[in-house]
Amino acid sequence: MPQPSQRIQQIPFSPIRAMFRLADEMERAGRGPVIRFHVGDPDFPPPEAVIEATHRAMRDGRTHYPPSVGVHELRLALAKKVVERNAIAATVEHLTVTPGSTEALLAVMEVVLHPGDDILIPEIYWPNYVQQSLLASARPVFYPLGAGYQPDVEGTRRAVTPRTRAILINSPSNPTGAVIPEATLRALYDIARERDLWVISDEAYEDIVFDAKHVSPASFERDLPEKLRRVFSLYTFSKSYAMTGFRLGYIVAPTSETALILRKTQEPLVGSTASMIQWGGMAALADDAPIATMRAAYRRRRDLAVSLLRPPGLLDYTPEGAFYVLADVSSTGMTGDEFARALLEEERVAVAPASGFALVPEFGPDGIPRGEMTSSGAPEYPVNPKARDRVRIAFCVSDEELREGLTRMVRFAARRRPAAAAKG
Ligand code: PLP
């Protein structure tokens, strides 16, 4: 029988897939509702104006192929947004509309990575980065994170090799909620400039920042001549406007030339982004009030999580943005995987083990990943030890559910702790 490509066999699965399956099985077996902390999908509806505008667009006949780079009116509105809000020196020609920033990431990797190149990725990361680097035939190499999951600048500098082509920056971060301060972003940008790397800046959570400030690395090069710019900035409507199901994102390319190549990349990858959805997106951009309401809710939930998890020693930092926290379950003596399974079983609370956000594919001298595909459909890659005893909690449930689920989690951890202490 013909075999699937080696490339696709080597790609790991998303870590939340197993938790989805277990939670669904539990509910189907009639064991009661599960509190779902494992999925990062906002529990808010999209703004009403977006639904209206999307309907209207369909009735107005906006049901045909749109341009591969996006509807011109939306690109104009996005260029205005990134100039005003992100301080990026962009014009409409730098903008490409995409079906979500997931596809945008792959498109940018296809543009900048040669087969066998290294791409630097934070050592605890959104799993698609590794899946996509491998799809683009590149090698993910991990840069270290220090206290509060902040990039370790000197460690990052040491991770650059002659094969490194790009560095990926994700602030605010999924899965840690860390927001990278401007000085660190500048230091990472300086490494990219010194070593002539592309920068891929995933700013999916740009609007969900609490006490810190969101800074776009592309703003550092706004006064440079275009040919010296290197930052691709990636955004999405998914998180800011609770529009995950619409699939709408966009890329700001650093130069007109890279934007032109992106146009070519979009043709085979997606053709174009759904037309009526883009008109819906335009309505979202017209009103920032829903962003402020959701941000306030996420801040309240973050504060609640910190107040419940910190006293029993389940949290060792404060997330400044996004809607996640990485809890530290080391005091229970369990790995994150063991903790997640037992917590679901005993307390009907689903969290995502952090191991899936920290898999480390190994490569042979031929540059091909080493793992053998198992019956699960993916290789068993080693896990970065820093993530082994962590679990991710997403604040995408009501405040009441969050309080109830975290109270159960704290209770569960307290039950397990004496056993951990006895083991020594
Ligand atoms: N980047 C990060 C860090 C994410 O967490 C996500 C989604 O969870 C995305 C990008 C992609 O979002 P979308 O494809 O919905 O735009």
Side-chain angles (χ1 to χ4, degrees):
M1 195 181 82
Q3 291 296 304
S5 75
Q6 189 163 35
R7 205 169 61 242
I8 206 71
Q9 290 191 47
Q10 303 294 359
I11 290 175
F13 270 115
S14 158
I16 59 174
R17 188 171 150 270
M19 292 312 292
F20 257 120
R21 187 173 49 76
L22 292 173
D24 288 350
E25 274 172 18
M26 187 167 234
E27 287 186 345
R28 269 200 302 273
R31 295 179 57 195
V34 172
I35 297 185
R36 291 168 184 260
F37 289 161
H38 59 301
V39 194
D41 190 345
D43 55 320
F44 300 99
E48 193 51 38
V50 171
I51 295 176
E52 273 298 316
T54 309
H55 274 185
R56 199 176 331 114
M58 284 193 278
R59 282 195 221 97
D60 290 350
R62 306 209 190 268
T63 52
H64 298 275
Y65 286 130
S68 59
V69 288
V71 167
H72 189 69
E73 289 84 341
L74 176 60
R75 293 170 70 221
L76 275 176
L78 292 172
K80 183 165 178 296
K81 178 260 174 187
V82 298
V83 168
E84 289 174 1
R85 299 241 318 266
N86 304 97
I88 299 177
T91 62
V92 65
E93 69 184 17
H94 297 104
L95 265 297
T96 304
V97 179
T98 62
S101 55
T102 303
E103 191 276 331
L105 277 156
L106 181 61
V108 171
M109 288 187 197
E110 291 291 353
V111 168
V112 304
L113 298 173
H114 302 226
D117 278 351
D118 288 355
I119 172 170
L120 287 175
I121 290 176
E123 65 178 338
I124 300 180
Y125 57 84
W126 187 51
N128 289 45
Y129 300 152
V130 160
Q131 296 176 317
Q132 292 173 324
S133 313
L134 294 174
L135 259 189
S137 301
R139 195 171 75 132
V141 170
F142 301 97
Y143 60 89
L145 302 177
Y149 301 104
Q150 290 295 334
D152 164 351
V153 172
E154 281 319 305
T156 304
R157 196 185 300 283
R158 283 195 297 275
V160 179
T161 70
R163 291 206 315 208
T164 311
R165 182 82 56 177
I167 176 166
L168 193 148
I169 301 175
N170 174 217
S171 176
S173 154
N174 178 7
T176 69
V179 175
I180 306 178
E182 178 167 353
T184 310
L185 288 172
R186 280 193 187 272
L188 295 176
Y189 177 78
D190 286 345
I191 295 174
R193 221 193 39 214
E194 285 155 24
R195 302 301 296 264
D196 201 20
L197 312 179
W198 295 104
V199 177
I200 304 175
S201 179
D202 177 359
E203 302 176 36
Y205 298 91
E206 61 166 339
D207 288 314
I208 308 171
V209 175
F210 311 126
D211 305 314
K213 178 169 162 265
H214 176 69
V215 175
S216 299
S219 65
F220 305 152
E221 52 186 23
R222 61 175 302 157
D223 297 324
L224 291 184
E226 203 182 275
K227 63 178 189 306
L228 297 181
R229 296 184 197 156
R230 59 186 69 248
V231 183
F232 287 85
S233 310
L234 278 58
Y235 302 96
T236 175
F237 286 74
S238 289
K239 317 291 176 173
S240 300
Y241 301 100
M243 288 171 59
T244 46
F246 283 67
R247 313 307 304 131
L248 187 62
Y250 52 102
I251 305 166
V252 189
T255 62
S256 325
E257 189 194 8
T258 47
L260 182 68
I261 299 170
L262 268 172
R263 176 189 294 259
K264 189 165 71 173
T265 313
Q266 289 304 80
E267 286 172 9
L269 279 180
V270 293
S272 47
T273 303
S275 178
M276 60 294 279
I277 298 298
Q278 298 189 51
W279 290 91
M282 235 173 295
L285 288 177
D287 181 10
D288 281 351
I291 299 182
T293 309
M294 288 189 269
R295 186 193 298 122
Y298 293 130
R299 176 200 285 269
R300 221 174 39 240
R301 296 173 188 176
R302 188 275 313 254
D303 290 345
L304 178 62
V306 170
S307 73
L308 291 173
L309 296 177
R310 217 186 244 289
L314 291 169
L315 189 62
D316 55 3
Y317 75 107
T318 301
E320 291 282 1
F323 37 64
Y324 305 103
V325 62
L326 264 199
D328 172 2
V329 302
S330 55
S331 60
T332 63
M334 306 169 92
T335 64
D337 290 75
E338 291 163 349
F339 185 94
R341 279 171 189 269
L343 177 69
L344 179 64
E345 195 53 39
E346 293 182 27
E347 296 282 2
R348 282 183 286 115
V349 175
V351 294
S355 55
F357 301 90
L359 295 179
V360 184
E362 291 174 323
F363 289 80
D366 49 5
I368 291 179
R370 268 217 186 97
E372 284 292 310
M373 191 167 78
T374 65
S375 56
S376 73
E380 301 278 343
Y381 287 122
V383 174
N384 182 325
K386 284 192 195 168
R388 192 164 285 141
D389 47 17
R390 301 284 191 276
V391 298
R392 189 193 72 175
I393 293 160
F395 311 141
C396 297
V397 295
S398 69
D399 296 21
E400 296 69 36
E401 246 192 314
L402 184 65
R403 180 182 292 282
E404 172 61 26
L406 291 178
T407 304
R408 291 189 204 174
M409 179 171 149
V410 168
R411 181 168 76 195
F412 169 80
R415 267 204 314 275
R416 292 305 175 113
R417 215 169 278 126
K423 258 200 255 168

